[in-house]
């Protein structure tokens, strides 16, 4: 009788082949999507890593290795088979993490999302496509537990969600058109041996994609927030008064 099939395991050669760095531990951005990975322990060597895309693999747990990558700014774990999340003490190791994709997994318990409070700088989180996202208090729980968040799933968080009892117009309300924010996923690299068959993201492109996402988030937040608009109008009026006083 044959034993269980070996797990698809991340190895140093796979890492080096997907970064411009000469060695795995120097990699700053990695696109490891759609590789059927089940074991990513080797990622622990990538201590300079700032962007890690692990979407559409076969991961059943986050694992401890990723928490050695303490400089991470964006982590994509979408489209895997995650059923639980590590405790907040583990997530606290990722103090620079700004963007976390967890959509399309199998996370069922809403309190699991609360463990992400350990990510003190987290600006954007995606959890749609998980059973917990169907909970009637899902969005309210996440917005009020993860206080650094500015975007949840495909929408920027509105002032209406942050101000208890507030009700704004459709232009500024929860999940309105102005609050929409897409998932930022760079084109997949071509399969090995296909060369120029498709665009191949490099370290610079992956890092630039994160900055583009943050700019889009900030722009949507500025459009959506009546508080920010009032503050901007007040600053503009003050500037005009100062200019007139100098004439």
């Amino acid at each position: 009788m044959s034993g269980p099939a070996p797990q698809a395991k991340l190895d140093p050669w796979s890492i080096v082949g997907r970064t411009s760095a000469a060695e795995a531990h120097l990699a700053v951005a990695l696109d490891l999507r759609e590789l059927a990975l089940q074991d990513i322990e080797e990622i622990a060597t990538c201590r300079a890593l700032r962007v890690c895309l692990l979407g559409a693999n076969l991961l059943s747990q986050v694992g401890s290795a990723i928490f050695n990558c303490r400089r991470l700014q964006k982590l994509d774990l979408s489209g895997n088979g995650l059923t639980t999340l590590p405790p907040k003490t583990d997530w606290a190791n990722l103090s620079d993490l700004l963007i976390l994709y967890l959509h399309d997994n199998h996370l069922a318990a809403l309190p699991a999302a609360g463990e992400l409070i350990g990510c003190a700088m987290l600006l954007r989180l995606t959890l749609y496509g998980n059973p917990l996202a169907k909970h009637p208090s899902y969005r309210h729980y996440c917005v009020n537990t993860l206080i650094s968040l500015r975007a949840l799933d495909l929408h920027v968080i509105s002032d209406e969600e942050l101000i208890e009892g507030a009700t704004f117009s459709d232009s500024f309300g929860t999940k309105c058109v102005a609050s929409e924010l897409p998932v930022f996923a760079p084109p997949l690299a071509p399969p090995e041996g296909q060369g120029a068959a498709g665009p191949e993201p490099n370290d610079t492109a992956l890092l630039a994609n994160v900055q583009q996402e943050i700019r889009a988030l900030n722009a949507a937040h500025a459009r959506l927030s009546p508080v920010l608009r009032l503050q901007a109008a007040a600053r503009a009026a003050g500037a005009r008064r100062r200019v007139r006083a100098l004439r």
Side-chain angles (χ1 to χ4, degrees):
M1 181 182 295
S2 61
Q7 291 189 342
K9 187 174 183 178
L10 183 64
D11 58 62
W13 305 113
S14 297
I15 294 173
V16 172
R18 287 168 173 79
T19 177
S20 58
E23 299 178 41
H25 73 275
L26 299 175
V28 296
L30 287 172
D31 187 351
L32 301 169
R33 293 173 293 170
E34 295 191 13
L35 297 179
L37 293 173
Q38 296 172 279
D39 183 336
I40 58 167
E41 287 301 305
E42 190 64 32
I43 206 78
T45 63
C46 303
R47 295 179 181 267
L49 202 59
R50 292 161 59 190
V51 179
C52 187
L53 308 184
L54 285 161
N57 280 292
L58 300 173
L59 302 175
S60 59
Q61 59 183 358
V62 175
S64 60
I66 200 70
F67 298 112
N68 286 316
C69 307
R70 297 184 178 223
R71 298 183 63 189
L72 273 177
Q73 295 179 343
K74 179 173 182 175
L75 175 60
D76 178 6
L77 290 166
S78 63
N80 280 280
L82 305 180
T83 56
T84 61
L85 293 177
K88 61 185 178 183
T89 50
D90 286 348
W91 291 106
N93 291 307
L94 304 183
S95 58
D96 291 339
L97 192 64
L98 302 174
I99 301 166
L100 177 60
Y101 288 175
L102 290 170
H103 55 272
D104 295 332
N105 276 286
H106 305 302
L107 301 168
L110 185 56
E115 299 297 341
L116 299 174
I117 197 172
C119 300
M121 300 289 289
L122 193 63
L123 296 178
R124 186 181 191 186
L125 171 66
T126 64
L127 283 166
Y128 64 88
N130 285 282
L132 63 77
K134 296 180 180 180
H135 193 287
S137 298
Y138 158 67
R139 196 166 176 92
H140 182 269
Y141 176 82
C142 290
V143 168
N144 288 278
T145 301
L146 309 174
I147 58 175
S148 64
L149 274 192
R150 293 175 65 182
L152 178 61
D153 294 337
L154 302 177
H155 294 86
V156 171
I157 296 167
S158 69
D159 285 355
E160 183 179 71
E161 296 177 271
L162 297 172
I163 302 172
E164 192 72 29
T167 302
F168 296 149
S169 69
D170 291 343
S171 299
F172 298 102
T174 302
K175 298 175 73 171
C176 65
V177 173
S179 72
E180 292 177 354
L181 186 69
V183 165
F184 280 66
L188 280 165
E192 292 183 14
Q194 292 192 13
E200 184 172 358
N202 56 33
D203 298 9
T204 302
L206 291 173
L207 292 170
N209 186 262
V210 173
Q211 295 306 312
Q212 181 185 6
E213 185 166 0
I214 296 297
R215 286 195 296 271
L217 190 162
N218 289 337
H221 186 252
R223 288 194 309 270
L224 182 66
S225 174
V227 173
L228 289 181
R229 287 194 174 191
L230 287 171
Q231 290 174 343
R235 286 195 297 269
R240 288 194 293 271
R241 286 194 298 271
R242 288 192 293 272
V243 169
R244 285 197 297 270
L246 292 173
R247 288 177 180 172

